[in-house]
Amino acid sequence: MFSRHAALHPPPFPAPKGDKRVRDPRSTRERGPNTEKNGTNPPMVAAPFDATTYGMSRSFQLAAILRFAVGTVATLCLIIVAIELNAASASPSETPAPTEKLAIGGATINLEIEPGDLSLSRAQVLDWVRRSACAVTEYYDGFPVPNVNVKVVPIDEGKAVLFGRTVVVDQTPIIRVGVSRFATDSSLRDDWVMTHEMVHLAFPSVPDDHHWIEEGIATYVEPIARAQVGDLSDQTVWRELVDGLPKGLPAPADRGLDNTHTWGRTYWGGALFCLMADIQIHQRTNNRYGLQDALRAIVRAGGNIEHDWQLTRALKAGDEATGVPVLMELYDRMKATPITPDLSAMWHDLGVLPSGDSVVFDQSAPQATIVRSIMASRSTRIERCVSSRSLGGIADERIGLVERGVMRRIAGQLGIQTFGFRARRFLAAEHPCIWRSITLDCDGRIGLA
């Protein structure tokens, strides 16, 4: 069985140094020739046509003009008929425009499917990108960058999503994800790569010694974000942490996170830092804040992939938001010293008990409330982006643009006291017309501000 995060498949193009973020100082814009460098040429003006100059009679002139007019009209009619016939006979399966724009979480996502064969429909690829973007939007209370180009690359091997890379060129984030031509809709729904790459957008570019924080955050946040919008179960999230975090523990001769650049320490060592920070923030704030609040604050301060920061600047911004210096204290401990926490004791205290291929939650455990708080959605936005799976497949990229007062009013009329996640699912399933009216304003009966 393929282990998620076990390896990134090599891309069919040279992998950029540093794996994730590369800034190309060269402009990719091309300028055309400067046609006005030596001034503009004077316009050419045609001399008026005088038929009498060529010995034509008046009646012959009129006949010639009439024939020209009739021919012109006939030609135009034929063109119009041809256009209509082409439109009528066009197959709905014809390849649409190569780039499509998705408006999600206040951002514009430009999706391009590069040439190649895919067994997936364009709609399935769009839904996959949309669901991933919705998960990131929910976790960060908004999409972390205003614009991003997403390029899907068909690959003639494998069976699912094969690799992902995120770079910045000319201040524009670009995500390239390789997808097997044999990938299915089921493999897209189980995929973690697209969400992982989008999480990379939500942290500033830091020096190479700190690459572990970039990959660690993406590894830790991705499954939690997907769970918060209903695309992954809580049990799956914690089972993967139980299985994966031992790979991030320091080995002999380890010199701390900043100085040990193995795969395990980079991905899972970074994720271990994130979990330890999340637990400590919850402990010291009585579950008022968590790592999610710190990461949101970093983005609000301008710390996304488009900007170069020192790591300490980002950590201090997160600590300021939570009111406790957990991130800086933990970094000072782990940056140059191997720290090996007792994972068995950690799971016991959290009430996360491995059971077969899953886990069970012991709600009486000392820190069981921390697990519930980590997994709970912290979104406070009025405009929310909810994944299509959470809403039974009704949503599109506009879904979630919801005015809460209208929703509560409709819910009250239906006898729903608390308009939470379950109530939204109830409306979507039992009253789809009302749900569409609220979320999409499809019939114009409810106008949203």
Side-chain angles (χ1 to χ4, degrees):
M1 178 174 136
F2 178 74
S3 173
R4 61 197 308 280
H5 305 311
L8 289 178
H9 294 254
F13 52 90
K17 182 181 179 182
D19 181 49
K20 182 173 72 70
R21 300 150 196 254
V22 171
R23 298 185 182 277
D24 187 347
R26 298 168 298 173
S27 173
T28 58
R29 299 175 185 174
E30 295 182 0
R31 296 183 182 272
N34 186 359
T35 56
E36 299 182 356
K37 183 176 181 180
N38 297 319
T40 57
N41 295 325
M44 298 181 65
V45 180
F49 174 72
D50 185 356
T52 60
T53 304
Y54 296 90
M56 297 180 183
S57 67
R58 176 67 61 180
S59 60
F60 185 83
Q61 296 172 31
L62 291 175
I65 291 172
L66 182 60
R67 285 196 298 271
F68 176 79
V70 171
T72 301
V73 171
T75 301
L76 290 174
C77 290
L78 289 173
I79 292 173
I80 292 172
V81 170
I83 292 174
E84 292 177 346
L85 287 174
N86 286 337
S89 62
S91 170
S93 63
E94 287 183 355
T95 304
T99 301
E100 297 198 32
K101 296 182 182 293
L102 301 177
I104 297 177
T108 298
I109 300 173
N110 305 300
L111 171 63
E112 176 184 348
I113 302 176
E114 297 189 355
D117 294 330
L118 283 178
S119 60
L120 297 159
S121 68
R122 194 174 187 86
Q124 289 171 321
V125 175
L126 283 167
D127 182 62
W128 168 49
V129 174
R130 183 183 300 116
R131 286 184 292 106
S132 300
C134 283
V136 173
T137 294
E138 281 290 284
Y139 190 88
Y140 287 95
D141 203 22
F143 203 75
V145 295
N147 293 280
V148 61
N149 296 337
V150 175
K151 300 178 183 294
V152 174
V153 185
I155 305 295
D156 290 333
E157 60 182 34
K159 295 182 179 180
V161 180
L162 303 177
F163 66 84
R165 292 287 187 273
T166 302
V167 299
V168 175
V169 178
D170 272 351
Q171 299 301 310
T172 300
I174 300 174
I175 295 175
R176 291 175 65 89
V177 176
V179 179
S180 168
R181 63 178 297 186
F182 306 107
T184 64
D185 186 61
S186 176
S187 61
L188 291 189
R189 290 188 174 275
D190 292 337
D191 168 64
W192 54 268
V193 175
M194 183 63 76
T195 307
H196 178 103
E197 295 303 319
M198 287 183 173
V199 173
H200 278 316
L201 304 173
F203 200 78
S205 294
V206 295
D208 288 346
D209 284 347
H210 312 309
H211 188 48
W212 60 268
I213 190 68
E214 299 169 342
E215 295 298 347
I217 289 173
T219 301
Y220 179 73
V221 167
E222 167 265 313
I224 295 175
R226 291 171 61 204
Q228 287 183 348
V229 295
D231 281 350
L232 206 63
S233 70
D234 291 2
Q235 288 83 358
T236 299
V237 173
W238 289 94
R239 181 72 230 193
E240 291 176 351
L241 288 172
V242 169
D243 292 339
L245 288 182
K247 303 181 182 73
L249 294 174
D254 187 281
R255 297 183 297 125
L257 290 171
D258 278 354
N259 305 304
T260 308
H261 307 301
T262 62
W263 170 83
R265 289 291 272 162
T266 299
Y267 284 80
W268 287 106
L272 178 61
F273 174 93
C274 291
L275 176 59
M276 292 173 66
D278 213 351
I279 293 171
Q280 291 182 31
I281 294 171
H282 278 88
Q283 284 178 318
R284 293 166 67 170
T285 64
N286 294 317
N287 285 330
R288 183 179 181 184
Y289 297 113
L291 180 65
Q292 185 171 358
D293 301 284
L295 295 177
R296 287 181 174 187
I298 293 170
V299 174
R300 285 197 302 269
N304 62 33
I305 195 173
E306 298 172 338
H307 302 285
D308 294 309
W309 281 19
Q310 291 298 318
L311 176 57
T312 53
R313 177 183 176 185
L315 300 181
K316 288 177 181 177
D319 283 341
E320 183 177 351
T322 62
V324 288
V326 168
L327 295 178
M328 279 302 302
E329 290 177 359
L330 194 59
Y331 173 61
D332 287 338
R333 287 180 55 207
M334 300 182 71
K335 63 181 178 182
T337 304
I339 301 295
T340 305
D342 187 340
L343 292 179
S344 296
M346 180 186 295
W347 303 135
H348 177 269
D349 291 343
L350 291 171
V352 177
L353 309 178
S355 177
D357 293 335
S358 184
V359 297
V360 294
F361 298 114
D362 179 5
Q363 301 300 340
S364 64
Q367 298 175 358
T369 58
I370 292 178
V371 173
R372 293 197 297 272
S373 184
I374 289 174
M375 301 307 297
S377 173
R378 292 176 175 266
S379 180
T380 58
R381 292 169 59 87
I382 292 177
E383 293 184 355
R384 305 189 67 217
C385 178
V386 182
S387 77
S388 57
R389 175 177 290 185
S390 301
L391 301 175
I394 292 177
D396 71 357
E397 66 267 24
R398 294 174 297 167
I399 205 162
L401 300 181
V402 178
E403 202 282 324
R404 286 183 175 178
V406 174
M407 292 176 70
R408 291 195 179 96
R409 186 163 65 251
I410 297 296
Q413 293 174 2
L414 295 173
I416 302 173
Q417 300 300 318
T418 303
F419 203 90
F421 176 75
R422 292 181 180 177
R424 287 197 296 275
R425 285 186 63 90
F426 172 80
L427 270 186
E430 303 297 328
H431 300 276
C433 182
I434 294 176
W435 174 252
R436 290 191 184 97
S437 299
I438 296 172
T439 58
L440 301 181
D441 197 19
C442 62
D443 59 5
R445 290 185 294 125
I446 300 178
L448 305 184

